Amino acid sequence: MGDPLSLTLSAYYGPEVAGNDSDSRMTFDATGITKVIPMVDLWFQGNYGMEAKAALDSLGQDASWFGFGLQPLVHLSSMFGLGLRYEFFSDPNGTRTGTGVKDLTLQNISVAPTFWLATGLMARAEFRMDMASKKVYADDKGAPTDSQMEIAADIVASF
């Protein structure tokens, strides 16, 4: 068995808008990793936030949001792994996303084959699908859509 749990808790409270010392933002975040499943690093995160008078509507109501994510990394061998990710984000007022879209939820699913080329050197590709409850993305012609796909690659060096 691996490490049972590493957990980081953080919170923030205070004004965020320049010239406004009375309307505060509060966020709470929990981020962790567990290795209790053999050959799997399970990362997870949860976040909740609220801000006074931050809604983008004309009423300037209070806004809140929350999200969570799960990111397992499965070690298939000493040189190859498969990263997966699921994330969910709820932005009821469209405040954190800056869209102003009411009752917006966002989700993404990713698959990332990972190759360790040497100690401290990793190459990774990522295939990602983003999905929204409303049409907040744009397709290749600029038309509104509720989903998008992305492909990325990176090389990471650790020192």
Side-chain angles (χ1 to χ4, degrees), residues 129-132 134-139 144-149:
M129 178 67 160
D130 294 323
M131 299 151 291
K134 309 286 173 93
K135 293 183 176 186
V136 294
Y137 303 117
D139 68 14
T145 183
D146 61 1
S147 65
Q148 66 182 9
M149 287 195 319

Side-chain angles (χ1 to χ4, degrees), residues 41-59:
D41 301 344
L42 180 59
W43 295 85
F44 56 90
Q45 180 178 16
N47 179 272
Y48 173 79
M50 55 191 272
E51 186 169 0
K53 300 179 185 171
L56 298 177
D57 60 21
S58 60
L59 302 175

